[in-house]
Amino acid sequence: MSTDKLPTREDNFSEWYNQIVLRAEMADYAPVRGCMVARPYGWALWENMQQALDRRFKETGHVNAAFPLFIPMSFLEKEKEHIEGFSPELAVVTHGGGSKLEEPLVVRPTSETIIGYMYAKWIKSYRDLPILINQWGSVVRWEMRTRLFLRTLEFYWQEGHTAHATAEEAQEETLRMLGVYADFVINDAAVPVIQGVKSASEKFAGAVQSTTIEAMMGDRRALQAGTSHFMGQNFAKAFDIQFLDWNNQLQHAWTTSWGLSWRVIGAMVMTHGDNQGLVLPPKLAPFQVVIVPIYRDDTEKSAVLPVVERVSKELKGAGCRIRVDDREEVTPGFKFNDWEMRGVPLRLEIGPKDVQKNSVALARRDIPGKAGKSFISQEGLASQVVQMLDTIQQSMLERATAFRDSHIHEPTSYADLTEIVKDGWAYSRWCGDADCEAKVKEDTKATIRCLPLDQPEVQGVCIQCGKPATSMAYFARAY
RNA sequence: CGGGGCGUAGCGCAGACCGGUAGCGCACCGCGUUUGGGACGCGGGGGUCGGCGGUUCAAGUCCGCCCGCCCCGACCA
């Protein structure tokens, strides 16, 4: 591991991000451009995220399944907008088993088409609906500019695909799952998000309406942290997903899809991280507590280790994910820095002085330096630690929310908007016209991140063109 | 696909102008001393110098072709 100082967030945010991901050993570059390896520490974080989400999916009635990686090229071509949107970024397999394939296969960029094909086979009656299936897996999109976790050629995610008998039911599902994402990202990842609808130019290729949760990163740029789409009958028509309704009428089903990827790991890094490294929310951290034993010789070691053993047992018993760093070849100082880089929420130091005083030293990762350090009694330690983890979780969300809110402004003029989006988000009226949106992008590089679900009574005129406004929108530069 | 840069040990680089025993720092291995905020000393291992061809007694270095990567655009989210 490198012991050089990190680049700072202020000096070079994107290099700071890369270095944290690499040094915390969450990921590494793979030999193919744009591909990455999720290392055990990063994967453990992803596993915790999967569990937290999967539990919510099951609670809302969904089941898991697995669909194939290869999709016939012709499937994507069945939905016009879909193929137009995805064709520039497809990986295509033309050969297999040493010979040229009759029809090229696409490595799935998303699975609407192959799942639509299967749903057409499975759905005959309104009694077969709804179908509520989720899949955990990876997809491939041939992106030009890649970043670890944020945009890679192959990325891990989950994609939910549902089919319903009515438009209303499908729309409800779309918003329900957006709400599930918001709940997870806010309460588990401690990343505040705004739920909203995508403008036409930003919506998913083939959807009627796309919804999104948008988060603000430490450099004030926006990151889409999850999306949920209402497909209307577009894919049902393309794949003949038809059923007989309760009146014996043949109808096309209404479908949805929703996805959230390991990009949210990147969102956590860029929301919570500091110049010491990563800061992970206790609910998702692979290790919530690291214990560093401190001793100089065998006498001290034999006094300290039994206490470490007892404390670690107690914490495990209280349900904490803990790690005892018993490495002999590095110094305590090195370990402190190492675990701070990895973002472990709480560090316990147990040394000869603590053994003597029946105490432990406790350091909060979210409050660096002396301010976050305290000494607590070994008595009732587990309950104090559990409580502290909860406090950290809450305070991380509060801090991130305060940061975000302090960088959202309502412009008073178009000139004002162009200034605001240089270092924050603009919350403003919009007329709904795509040309206006394009003009803003051309002038400022900012796009409409979403039209928030939470809309006030909108009066007045569009910030860009002066025509009557139809909704409030967030404008920001995005990842 | 345009504009710029770079390929020498796992990583970061020097050596090239001016051809002559392939080096430095970190990492790694061994021994010893250290250990409450990134320890130190001594010893050691590791290289088709991106590839192919040419010039030369001799090429990391000069010449030609090719390949790959990075940054800025375009594209995407």
Side-chain angles (χ1 to χ4, degrees):
Chain A
M1 200 195 81
S2 171
T3 54
D4 298 345
K5 280 264 183 245
L6 269 178
T8 63
R9 280 163 54 104
E10 296 73 25
D11 285 352
N12 189 345
F13 192 82
S14 86
E15 194 47 31
W16 166 85
Y17 172 83
N18 288 338
Q19 290 297 321
I20 285 190
V21 171
L22 294 170
R23 294 191 196 186
E25 297 183 347
M26 290 201 291
D28 201 355
Y29 292 105
V32 177
R33 180 199 71 87
C35 292
M36 57 166 260
V37 175
R39 301 185 67 178
Y41 193 63
W43 190 258
L45 180 57
W46 178 235
E47 283 179 333
N48 289 343
M49 294 166 66
Q50 289 186 69
Q51 277 176 30
L53 276 170
D54 204 63
R55 174 176 61 74
R56 288 168 166 89
F57 297 159
K58 305 264 167 73
E59 279 168 4
T60 45
H62 301 84
V63 290
N64 287 330
F67 293 84
L69 179 66
F70 296 127
I71 301 176
M73 177 64 103
S74 59
F75 278 30
L76 274 90
E77 290 162 351
K78 286 185 182 185
E79 215 292 330
K80 191 171 157 290
E81 276 189 34
H82 194 64
I83 186 65
E84 276 176 14
F86 280 103
S87 64
E89 44 186 296
L90 293 178
V92 181
V93 180
T94 57
H95 289 72
S99 53
K100 192 162 186 284
L101 299 175
E102 191 93 344
E103 180 185 351
L105 297 175
V106 168
V107 181
R108 63 184 175 209
T110 178
S111 302
E112 278 75 9
T113 57
I114 193 145
I115 292 178
Y117 173 89
M118 298 310 298
Y119 281 8
K121 284 177 71 171
W122 299 338
I123 296 169
K124 297 295 169 208
S125 151
Y126 71 93
R127 293 194 177 90
D128 298 326
L129 295 171
I131 289 195
L132 307 171
I133 292 179
N134 175 63
Q135 147 165 293
W136 289 98
S138 69
V139 289
V140 169
R141 299 179 184 178
W142 216 264
E143 304 285 359
M144 303 297 276
R145 300 282 287 275
T146 57
R147 303 282 314 273
L148 294 168
F149 284 118
L150 300 176
R151 185 179 294 107
T152 45
L153 297 199
E154 181 191 10
F155 61 89
Y156 279 77
W157 74 342
Q158 57 68 220
E159 44 179 328
H161 295 270
T162 69
H164 307 262
T166 66
E168 294 70 34
E169 209 183 297
Q171 282 168 315
E172 272 172 35
E173 167 77 2
T174 307
L175 288 180
R176 177 181 307 117
M177 299 322 286
L178 189 73
V180 162
Y181 287 160
D183 175 54
F184 163 71
V185 174
I186 293 169
N187 293 311
D188 288 11
V191 173
V193 293
I194 289 168
Q195 302 184 50
V197 176
K198 280 292 185 193
S199 65
S201 68
E202 296 271 328
K203 83 176 165 57
F204 179 81
V208 170
Q209 186 178 73
S210 289
T211 62
T212 176
I213 49 174
E214 296 285 327
M216 184 188 287
M217 302 296 98
D219 60 354
R220 271 79 80 191
R221 286 169 73 183
L223 183 82
Q224 177 177 302
T227 51
S228 179
H229 314 289
F230 171 60
M231 305 301 192
Q233 294 174 308
N234 292 350
F235 283 88
K237 284 178 177 164
F239 288 91
D240 291 320
I241 310 175
Q242 296 192 79
F243 66 97
L244 278 172
D245 70 13
W246 36 91
N247 296 317
N248 204 35
Q249 296 289 309
L250 200 57
Q251 280 202 43
H252 284 103
W254 302 82
T255 65
T256 81
S257 76
W258 26 276
L260 182 147
S261 78
W262 66 15
R263 170 184 261 200
V264 171
I265 293 175
M268 285 190 272
V269 174
M270 291 191 290
T271 300
H272 305 306
D274 63 21
N275 288 335
Q276 286 298 311
L278 194 54
V279 182
L280 289 175
K283 284 194 180 167
L284 297 175
F287 306 117
Q288 297 170 309
V289 182
V290 62
I291 302 177
V292 180
I294 292 162
Y295 48 79
R296 280 165 301 192
D297 51 37
D298 284 348
T299 315
E300 290 183 350
K301 182 176 174 181
S302 61
V304 164
L305 287 190
V307 178
V308 169
E309 178 67 16
R310 183 165 54 74
V311 166
S312 90
K313 251 189 195 152
E314 207 179 315
L315 290 174
K316 273 184 199 158
C320 294
R321 295 188 290 274
I322 73 147
R323 166 76 183 261
V324 175
D325 190 349
D326 56 3
R327 287 178 290 179
E328 303 256 358
E329 66 275 15
V330 289
T331 61
F334 181 92
K335 293 176 184 178
F336 299 164
N337 285 284
D338 194 21
W339 292 109
E340 279 166 12
M341 179 64 70
R342 291 171 145 85
V344 176
L346 268 184
R347 181 181 72 237
L348 296 187
E349 301 164 23
I350 302 177
K353 293 177 206 162
D354 299 297
V355 172
Q356 212 168 42
K357 293 189 290 188
N358 199 40
S359 67
V360 300
L362 187 69
R364 279 176 68 161
R365 179 62 184 89
D366 64 322
I367 304 176
K370 276 209 171 105
K373 226 166 158 173
S374 57
F375 292 88
I376 64 169
S377 168
Q378 288 172 27
E379 307 302 325
L381 179 127
S383 69
Q384 289 195 71
V385 164
V386 168
Q387 200 171 19
M388 182 70 89
L389 289 172
D390 195 49
T391 304
I392 293 172
Q393 180 81 31
Q394 282 179 41
S395 98
M396 285 176 69
L397 177 62
E398 280 165 21
R399 182 182 303 182
T401 306
F403 175 85
R404 180 195 65 183
D405 291 347
S406 71
H407 290 96
I408 298 178
H409 306 288
E410 201 167 337
T412 54
S413 65
Y414 186 57
D416 196 19
L417 180 143
T418 62
E419 281 305 306
I420 289 171
V421 297
K422 284 179 186 168
D423 194 44
W425 294 10
Y427 175 65
S428 187
R429 293 175 193 77
W430 179 50
C431 62
D433 191 331
D435 291 341
C436 259
E437 186 184 6
K439 180 77 167 70
V440 174
K441 184 175 183 180
E442 193 189 316
D443 292 345
T444 68
K445 290 185 181 168
T447 51
I448 292 182
R449 300 322 303 155
C450 70
L451 316 176
L453 295 186
D454 187 15
Q455 285 279 339
E457 193 77 18
V458 179
Q459 292 167 348
V461 297
C462 174
I463 191 76
Q464 205 288 126
C465 69
K467 286 184 285 195
T470 54
S471 54
M472 298 301 290
Y474 286 98
F475 294 83
R477 292 183 187 168
Y479 273 95

